[in-house]
Amino acid sequence: MTTGSISELMTEASRGPLLKGPILGIETSCDETAAAVVTPDGRVLSNVVASQSALHERFGGIVPELAARAHLETLPLVVVQALTEADITWDGLSALAVTQGPGLAGALLVGLTYAKALAYALDRPLIGVSHLEGHITSAWLGDPDFPRPAVVLVVSGGHTHLYRLNEDWSTELLGHTLDDAAGEAFDKAAQMLGLGYPGGPAIDRMAQHGNPEAIRFTRGCIKRKDLHFSFSGLKTALLYYLQDRGGPCTEQETKDIAASFQEAVVDVLVKKSFDAVRSTNVPALAVVGGVSANSWLRARLQAEAARQGVALALPPMQYCTDNAAMIALAGFITYSRGTWAHDPDDVKATLEV
């Protein structure tokens, strides 16, 4: 099992010369416009995120065309702010890292086009980064000494995937959602309960004052021996429950429903994560992505990790949701492993996971 500083970890995986100076990370895969400057030893000099939540709130979800337009308007300002906060000039950058997918096509293209133009203008390497690999590395932003190999759960609005992360930073997919992601289920539940968008934080807030045992909602795939997930049945169960009531819920009833729904999601995520730890015989678990900010999920994971003697990494809140610091760090690692396209024109959008 490998531990050590981020710079030491990258050196161990290096297949060539390492970058010597800070890297600029750019993230535009969905509805956050983000830029960050990170040093080769993993220090975050700046991490700027411009959220589009207010823009999409009235639609109850993300409108791809509006997201792309907002990125186009905001990205240059966010990048300049990141450089200013890091107290660094364009010439001080050693490379650029940009999310190339998966994500919304139009949103990704804004970030990719901007990053390519910068790479040509500055004559710097351009490193395309998987959004999921960015989330995976976010665990090491918060805890550079966290060991590898490790089991990693990526849980967000668009993804619920379990991986084994190897010592050389390569990944093996262990399981994934068969339909909806956990974060998407939270968003839809919040919409059904009239809690607004984004749904995850709203459910979390309401659930803190509710009874998680008030309603026994279905737990998709929880009895299966594989490591896959399913949340579409849970959404349907909530819909039918609300329809069968035949009337509006009181505030306390809404809190109880939110707590019960959250409990069903968390039960599955916790069980499958520790099933993966046992099946791989890897006593280290990292849980990353937007849903990893959920307070009850974090509490349950910490309790179970302590009970089983498993090392647990949960990113600081600023690295749970989409951000560019994780993209920059993943860019360093991709560069050190020699698995990057040396021609900026070869960095293309990848829409599939």
Side-chain angles (χ1 to χ4, degrees), residues 24-28 34-36 75 79 96-99 111 114-115 118 324 327-328:
L24 173 67
I26 294 173
E27 155 65 25
T28 64
L75 182 56
V79 168
L96 297 90
V98 61
T99 303
Y114 183 86
L118 275 183
I327 301 303

Side-chain angles (χ1 to χ4, degrees), residues 65-83:
E65 176 64 21
L66 293 180
R69 289 175 181 268
H71 287 310
L72 193 62
E73 296 172 358
T74 309
L75 182 56
L77 302 176
V78 167
V79 168
V80 169
Q81 184 178 344
L83 292 173

Side-chain angles (χ1 to χ4, degrees), residues 133-298:
E133 290 180 359
H135 274 305
I136 289 170
T137 59
S138 69
W140 280 263
L141 278 172
D143 186 358
D145 293 327
F146 193 70
R148 300 184 327 277
V151 170
V152 183
L153 172 66
V154 181
V155 57
S156 66
H159 305 96
T160 305
H161 288 60
L162 273 167
Y163 294 94
R164 175 191 162 105
L165 178 70
N166 299 314
E167 289 190 21
D168 66 352
W169 297 97
S170 63
T171 57
E172 301 170 34
L173 182 63
L174 303 174
H176 58 86
T177 181
L178 301 175
D179 38 60
D180 302 320
E184 196 270 346
F186 277 137
D187 284 341
K188 287 297 188 294
Q191 190 175 39
M192 283 186 258
L193 292 171
L195 301 181
Y197 175 86
I203 292 287
D204 194 357
R205 287 191 299 270
M206 295 294 285
Q208 291 176 25
H209 306 285
N211 177 8
E213 298 179 358
I215 306 138
R216 179 69 184 180
F217 286 118
T218 183
R219 272 83 165 147
C221 288
I222 201 164
K223 294 183 179 180
R224 290 175 52 149
K225 293 183 179 180
D226 59 36
L227 297 173
H228 295 318
F229 302 86
S230 173
F231 296 102
S232 64
L234 175 59
K235 291 194 309 180
T236 302
L238 174 59
L239 177 64
Y240 287 163
Y241 177 84
L242 294 174
Q243 288 178 345
D244 289 345
R245 287 182 52 82
C249 301
T250 66
E251 183 177 351
Q252 187 56 51
E253 286 172 336
T254 300
K255 292 175 180 177
D256 290 344
I257 295 168
S260 299
F261 187 91
Q262 177 179 264
E263 185 78 354
V265 174
V266 169
D267 274 353
V268 175
L269 294 176
V270 172
K271 181 181 186 301
K272 292 288 185 176
S273 294
F274 285 93
D275 284 351
V277 167
R278 285 189 293 273
S279 68
T280 58
N281 197 30
V282 174
L285 170 67
V287 180
V288 300
V291 178
S292 71
N294 179 275
S295 62
W296 185 231
L297 175 60
R298 292 172 83 93

Side-chain angles (χ1 to χ4, degrees), residues 274 278 300-310:
F274 285 93
R278 285 189 293 273
R300 287 279 305 277
L301 288 166
Q302 288 165 341
E304 190 64 18
R307 189 181 74 82
Q308 295 195 28
V310 172

